[in-house]
Amino acid sequence: MDRKFEILKRVPLFSGLTDDELEKITRITVLRHYRKNSTIFVEGQTLSTVYFIQSGIVKVTKVQNNGNEQVICLLQKGDMFPHVGFFCDSPYPGTAVTVTDSILLAIPTDDFDRLMDSNPLIAKSVMKMMDQRLLYMQRRLQDVISGDVHQKVVITLLRLVEEYGIQREDGVFVSIPLTHQDFANMLGMSRESVNRVLNQLKKDHLLDINRKGILIYNPDALQRTLSPVKE
């Protein structure tokens, strides 16, 4: 219980709660360990659990009408998911899969609903989180629909740097082991189109990609490839 308590104290949603309130939450919380590429839940399943990431990376995907997979978002330490369905009994809106080994806190939705009913501060925090996620998804949509393939790839790389980048001597490292197919699924584009852009960026010595992640040697230089825009 002590470990769950210490983890919950670092969850942004529960900041501001007293130790007594956190103790109550630990009683309804289960600590779960997932190996890389494990499925947490599947799109369309009954929403039964709310998750908080203690460590690791989780991707949420949806299957489009044509059968292609679309990566909706990548989630990291401190994030809560799913982001919708609490107030209308909706099923899971997408499929969640671990990108790396992950440790998650799990709270049954019935218990979580009662928690929000009894603590307006948590309910307010959840609504704020949902608002932030909506703004994030609007930004993602703008990234995907604007510009040519090169622009979409570069903008997505810069967003990954901003959200997940770790500064190193040789550049900024994004420690997410994404395949080229994962990257293409984030943009809703063909793997071949994305590969051409990524390979050209590697030839231009702007980045390197391996099974451990993406290294951007100079984000400013990568940014400069967006301007001037080629017609």
Side-chain angles (χ1 to χ4, degrees):
M1 180 176 288
D2 288 345
R3 185 183 181 191
K4 288 192 292 184
F5 180 84
E6 291 302 319
I7 294 173
L8 286 168
K9 284 180 66 173
R10 295 191 291 270
V11 173
L13 187 68
F14 301 134
S15 62
L17 298 185
T18 66
D19 285 355
D20 286 342
E21 289 170 325
L22 286 172
E23 284 286 2
K24 293 178 182 177
I25 299 175
T26 62
R27 299 188 193 114
I28 60 173
T29 302
V30 177
L31 201 61
R32 296 182 180 175
H33 297 253
Y34 292 87
R35 299 302 301 267
K36 177 181 177 181
N37 294 327
S38 296
T39 299
I40 303 165
F41 54 75
V42 175
E43 180 180 355
Q45 281 183 340
T46 301
L47 199 162
S48 60
T49 309
V50 179
Y51 297 91
F52 299 85
I53 301 177
Q54 155 60 15
S55 65
I57 301 288
V58 173
K59 68 176 179 180
V60 178
T61 67
K62 286 184 70 69
V63 177
Q64 300 173 316
N65 292 333
N66 60 7
N68 292 333
E69 180 184 85
Q70 174 85 52
V71 176
I72 303 301
C73 60
L74 294 171
L75 304 168
Q76 59 181 325
K77 182 177 180 178
D79 284 340
M80 165 188 163
F81 67 100
H83 305 103
V84 296
F86 308 114
F87 307 109
C88 57
D89 295 325
S90 298
Y92 285 116
T95 297
V97 178
T98 55
V99 179
T100 63
D101 291 350
S102 302
I103 300 175
L104 308 180
L105 292 169
I107 301 179
T109 50
D110 288 344
D111 290 331
F112 193 69
D113 285 342
R114 285 190 286 270
L115 186 62
M116 289 192 291
D117 288 340
S118 63
N119 195 313
L121 177 62
I122 293 178
K124 184 177 180 180
S125 296
V126 168
M127 288 187 284
K128 182 179 179 181
M129 178 273 298
M130 292 171 70
D131 185 54
Q132 291 172 340
R133 181 55 53 173
L134 177 60
L135 292 174
Y136 171 83
M137 294 308 296
Q138 289 174 336
R139 179 184 170 190
R140 274 285 317 276
L141 179 61
Q142 188 64 37
D143 291 347
V144 171
I145 65 176
S146 300
D148 58 19
V149 179
H150 174 88
Q151 289 174 304
K152 292 175 182 178
V153 170
V154 170
I155 288 172
T156 299
L157 286 168
L158 291 171
R159 180 167 49 79
L160 290 174
V161 166
E162 177 185 344
E163 296 176 4
Y164 305 98
I166 300 170
Q167 186 66 54
R168 304 195 324 194
E169 290 185 2
D170 53 352
V172 179
F173 186 64
V174 177
S175 182
I176 303 178
L178 293 174
T179 65
H180 283 205
Q181 187 62 60
D182 285 333
F183 205 91
N185 290 346
M186 290 177 68
L187 296 171
M189 306 184 70
S190 71
R191 177 178 172 179
E192 292 75 19
S193 297
V194 170
N195 280 354
R196 283 194 291 270
V197 175
L198 291 175
N199 288 336
Q200 185 59 53
L201 293 173
K202 290 176 70 174
K203 289 179 182 178
D204 294 338
H205 304 291
L206 290 169
L207 60 79
D208 186 36
I209 300 178
N210 56 43
R211 287 179 292 180
K212 294 183 178 180
I214 305 170
L215 176 62
I216 310 295
Y217 297 120
N218 187 334
D220 290 337
L222 183 62
Q223 174 79 49
R224 286 193 291 271
T225 69
L226 294 174
S227 180
V229 177
K230 297 180 180 180
E231 297 295 338

